[in-house]
Amino acid sequence: MRSIRTRQNTILGHSIERIDEYDDVGLVANVRYEVMCPYTGAVLTSRASLRAAKRYVILHELRSIKVGKRRQKRAPQYVDAA
């Protein structure tokens, strides 16, 4: 099997690549979209459609904001007595 990678979009720093896999005859056997990490370039997920890959990026970023706020609330508050 042969596969070809094509960059489709870049959303919020995450690169979305389309992977076309071809069988021995040369016909497209499978198409999937991979979301790449903006910092390391590692594959975060593989989705069947471009829409699902975009949705993953947006949800991933929203969850990281929510976790960040949750961590800030748990941090102790220090007040100077000056």
Side-chain angles (χ1 to χ4, degrees):
M1 254 176 144
R2 187 176 70 122
S3 61
I4 297 177
R5 288 182 171 265
T6 308
R7 179 172 288 174
Q8 291 291 313
N9 285 336
T10 302
I11 300 175
L12 301 173
H14 294 77
S15 172
I16 299 176
E17 295 183 355
R18 176 185 167 135
I19 289 79
D20 295 323
E21 293 181 348
Y22 296 92
D23 59 5
D24 297 333
V25 180
L27 300 174
V28 177
N30 189 15
V31 176
R32 70 179 191 272
Y33 295 87
E34 291 184 347
V35 178
M36 313 295 277
C37 176
Y39 304 110
T40 62
V43 176
L44 296 176
T45 188
S46 179
R47 301 293 169 148
S49 69
L50 181 59
R51 175 182 258 178
K54 288 178 180 180
R55 185 178 295 135
Y56 173 83
V57 171
I58 293 168
L59 289 174
H60 180 73
E61 289 297 316
L62 288 173
R63 285 183 187 131
S64 67
I65 291 170
K66 185 177 178 181
V67 169
K69 286 184 179 180
R70 193 178 314 146
R71 286 182 184 157
Q72 288 175 356
K73 288 180 183 178
R74 291 181 185 170
Q77 299 289 330
Y78 296 105
V79 179
D80 289 335

